[in-house]
Amino acid sequence: MRQEAPGPAFHEAPSLDWRRYLVMARTQAGVCCALVLAVSLCAFAVAYLLPKKYEASSTVSIEQNVISDLVKGIAVTPSVEAKLRILKVSLLSRKMLLDVMSALDMDLNFNSPADQENFLESLRNAVQIVHDEKKGLFFITFTDRSPARARDFVNTLTRKYIEGSTASKRTESFEATSFLADQIEVFQKRREKAQEAIDAFRVEKGMYLGLNEHSLREEIRDTELQLDALRIQKTERQAKLALMTANSPQRKALEDRERALQSLLASYTERHPAVVRAREDIKLLKLAVEKDEKGSVERINDLDYQTLLVELQSLEAREKALESLIDKNKRYLQELPEIRTELAALEQAKLNENAIYQQLVSRYGQSEVSKQMELQDKAVSFRIIDAAVLPTSYIFPNRPLIIVGGIMAGFLLSGLYLVAQDILRGRVRSRADLEKMRLEILATLPTTNEAGEPAAHGIPWKPALLTAAVLTALCLAAVTEYFRLPYIESAFRTLVAWI
């Protein structure tokens, strides 16, 4: 049977009773105070041992002259957006940083190229560039241990960039103008060559260029009609001439023999005896016909015969002339599209060269105006509004935050120490611990303090007062640093000088 002691003095203490930790803090006051002091003093030492860093900043405005708007389309000037896109890249470029280092004699203590590269990378990390788009400003900030070097670095970097930007713009303008002048000369020569080719082609094919396809077709049709009429007349003259000489018996025999030869050739080759004999007979008959015709011509009226003969020759000459004219016109008609296409190609090439030439001349004028704008600094420009001044206060380390953080860390570490001690002791602290172990509880006694127990004598004043005094001093140091008062640093310098 479980028995419990009566009375209001009897109570249960929870497993995580804060009073128990308070008792532990009293009994472990020396260790807790030592932890708080150690962490706080370490934080104080770190706050003053960390090297101070100073920040210098310059303000630069981005100005676009009103002349840029007035000459839009006449001159070519870089836009503000284009300059801002390359601003950070240009400022942190290797060449720019090396120029600044050389100007400030910061490149004298490198043992190897790797050291130089590491230093360049540290400079890039220390430079911050912030752009305020609404105000048209950008800020260049540099952080360094030396306030003078931070100021000089920012001012030198800003000045170098503005000078380099202006010089590069002017160089680009001069190079663009020179390039355009050279190209204008080249394309002027190409235009002249294109015109010379067109002139030579017109001289060579001038007779074709004045022709018209429709006119040529009409002329060919009329010529063919004339040729048909001429051939009719020629046929009539040949018929009359044939009648005058066609009544000879030898001619009739010749015609019969020629028909017989054609029949033989249909059955035999040229070497057949019958074919060879027929050809010999035809030769003899032709000689006889010619002799007979001469004799008959003498009997014919010489005037009529000669008239027919002259007319026939005239008709044959006219026939050849008309045939030649038709052939020539047909050839012209075939060649004319190709000739015109070739001429069009030459003229198009000239137009292309001329178009490029005109664009170059126009761009050359724009380049001249742009060059004058750059020379007179009338385009987009950078102007230093506020140069960097010598920083008087450091931005790192944040000594008040470190000191206060160290104090808080000390108390946190002390609390963790007490919790760890409480957990690691592993003894029964309350009735709840016994119930968890399923043990039978016979009685519950009230909490009492034995005579001579340290917890019964209150707070150990010596460690507590020492800790309070040190923490008060540290808090005063944090307040002093918060208001940037130099008393503590002056005291340290005096102490170091005295030592």
Side-chain angles (χ1 to χ4, degrees):
M1 179 176 180
R2 184 171 58 183
Q3 296 180 356
E4 296 183 2
F10 297 96
H11 64 276
E12 294 182 8
S15 181
L16 294 176
D17 189 357
W18 63 271
R19 287 174 295 183
R20 184 173 70 256
Y21 287 103
L22 183 59
V23 172
M24 292 179 62
R26 290 172 181 172
T27 58
Q28 300 287 335
V31 177
C32 292
C33 291
L35 288 175
V36 172
L37 290 178
V39 175
S40 300
L41 291 175
C42 286
F44 179 80
V46 168
Y48 282 90
L49 290 177
L50 285 175
K52 293 186 292 185
K53 292 184 179 181
Y54 296 85
E55 183 180 81
S57 177
S58 66
T59 305
V60 182
S61 69
I62 309 168
E63 300 178 359
Q64 185 163 0
N65 200 299
V66 69
I67 297 177
S68 299
D69 296 329
L70 295 177
V71 299
K72 185 177 294 184
I74 300 175
V76 178
T77 57
S79 64
V80 176
E81 293 76 10
K83 288 182 173 293
L84 290 177
R85 279 198 299 267
I86 63 171
L87 174 64
K88 188 171 183 179
V89 177
S90 300
L91 280 171
L92 300 182
S93 65
R94 177 184 176 86
K95 182 178 182 303
M96 181 66 68
L97 293 179
L98 287 177
D99 289 343
V100 175
M101 289 167 55
S102 177
L104 299 179
D105 295 331
M106 298 169 63
D107 56 346
L108 303 178
N109 299 320
F110 299 122
N111 297 324
S112 65
D115 294 340
Q116 186 183 46
E117 292 300 323
N118 293 333
F119 187 71
L120 284 174
E121 189 62 28
S122 66
L123 289 180
R124 288 192 182 97
N125 295 331
V127 176
Q128 292 183 352
I129 302 170
V130 180
H131 173 229
D132 190 338
E133 186 175 357
K134 294 182 179 179
K135 297 181 180 179
L137 303 174
F138 69 89
F139 308 92
I140 303 175
T141 304
F142 180 71
T143 304
D144 194 79
R145 296 181 181 180
S146 170
R149 186 164 65 177
R151 175 200 60 191
D152 296 340
F153 186 90
V154 170
N155 290 333
T156 305
L157 180 63
T158 306
R159 177 174 53 83
K160 289 281 186 182
Y161 175 74
I162 294 176
E163 292 175 354
S165 176
T166 304
S168 65
K169 288 188 297 182
R170 293 176 179 176
T171 302
E172 291 173 359
S173 298
F174 278 107
E175 290 178 351
T177 304
S178 176
F179 172 77
L180 289 174
D182 295 339
Q183 293 301 308
I184 287 173
E185 183 178 355
V186 170
F187 276 89
Q188 176 63 27
K189 293 180 180 179
R190 293 175 63 171
R191 286 177 65 220
E192 294 174 355
K193 289 183 179 180
Q195 185 60 48
E196 291 174 359
I198 292 175
D199 295 340
F201 186 81
R202 288 184 179 277
V203 170
E204 181 182 357
K205 305 292 184 179
M207 59 183 299
Y208 292 92
L209 300 177
L211 299 178
N212 182 274
E213 292 185 8
H214 180 71
S215 300
L216 280 176
R217 294 183 188 279
E218 291 292 332
E219 185 177 354
I220 291 173
R221 186 176 62 81
D222 295 340
T223 305
E224 288 178 344
L225 293 176
Q226 295 177 17
L227 183 60
D228 292 341
L230 184 65
R231 285 174 177 172
I232 293 174
Q233 295 178 8
K234 178 182 175 183
T235 303
E236 292 177 353
R237 300 301 187 278
Q238 288 176 344
K240 289 181 180 181
L241 190 61
L243 289 174
M244 289 182 180
T245 58
N247 296 325
S248 173
Q250 286 82 0
R251 177 172 290 280
K252 186 177 181 180
L254 178 61
E255 291 176 356
D256 294 339
R257 197 60 180 166
E258 286 178 348
R259 285 193 294 271
L261 177 61
Q262 294 300 324
S263 299
L264 291 173
L265 288 174
S267 303
Y268 305 106
T269 62
E270 292 284 345
R271 297 182 180 181
H272 195 273
V275 175
V276 174
R277 193 181 309 113
R279 288 190 181 280
E280 292 296 331
D281 293 342
I282 289 172
K283 285 183 180 181
L284 294 176
L285 287 173
K286 284 182 176 181
L287 292 175
V289 168
E290 290 176 0
K291 184 177 179 181
D292 185 65
E293 286 179 352
K294 288 180 180 180
S296 62
V297 167
E298 292 175 358
R299 295 190 295 271
I300 299 172
N301 188 349
D302 293 338
L303 181 59
D304 294 338
Y305 183 80
Q306 293 298 328
T307 300
L308 286 173
L309 192 59
V310 170
E311 290 179 355
L312 186 59
Q313 292 176 352
S314 176
L315 291 173
E316 290 178 351
R318 289 179 60 193
E319 181 184 15
K320 290 181 180 179
L322 291 176
E323 289 177 349
S324 176
L325 180 60
I326 291 173
D327 292 340
K328 183 179 68 174
N329 287 338
K330 287 183 177 180
R331 187 174 66 254
Y332 287 169
L333 195 62
Q334 292 176 353
E335 295 178 357
L336 187 58
E338 182 179 354
I339 292 172
R340 288 184 175 174
T341 301
E342 187 174 353
L343 178 61
L346 292 174
E347 291 178 344
Q348 185 62 43
K350 179 189 173 183
L351 289 176
N352 294 338
E353 301 292 347
N354 189 60
I356 297 176
Y357 176 80
Q358 294 299 331
Q359 290 181 1
L360 287 173
V361 171
S362 175
R363 295 296 182 184
Y364 182 80
Q366 293 179 348
S367 177
E368 284 290 340
V369 178
S370 302
K371 181 176 70 175
Q372 293 302 321
M373 290 181 66
E374 296 296 345
L375 289 175
Q376 300 178 26
D377 200 16
K378 299 297 184 183
V380 176
S381 59
F382 298 102
R383 301 191 185 280
I384 300 176
I385 302 299
D386 292 323
V389 297
L390 185 69
T392 56
S393 60
Y394 57 89
I395 62 167
F396 179 87
N398 191 340
R399 288 175 177 173
L401 181 62
I402 295 175
I403 293 173
V404 174
I407 295 173
M408 295 176 65
F411 280 106
L412 178 61
L413 183 61
S414 298
L416 293 176
Y417 170 76
L418 293 177
V419 172
Q421 287 290 322
D422 186 44
I423 293 173
L424 294 176
R425 280 191 301 181
R427 61 188 180 182
V428 177
R429 304 176 184 85
S430 66
R431 176 179 175 177
D433 294 336
L434 295 175
E435 290 177 348
K436 288 180 181 180
M437 292 186 287
R438 298 180 180 180
L439 298 176
E440 184 179 359
I441 301 175
L442 300 177
T444 301
L445 301 177
T447 302
T448 59
N449 291 327
E450 296 180 0
E453 187 176 330
H457 300 287
I459 300 173
W461 292 106
K462 291 183 179 180
L465 290 176
L466 176 62
T467 303
V470 174
L471 294 182
T472 301
L474 294 178
C475 290
L476 289 175
V479 172
T480 302
E481 291 297 335
Y482 179 79
F483 289 102
R484 302 291 182 178
L485 300 177
Y487 302 137
I488 298 178
E489 286 192 356
S490 300
F492 280 147
R493 284 196 293 269
T494 304
L495 180 62
V496 170
W498 182 74
I499 293 176

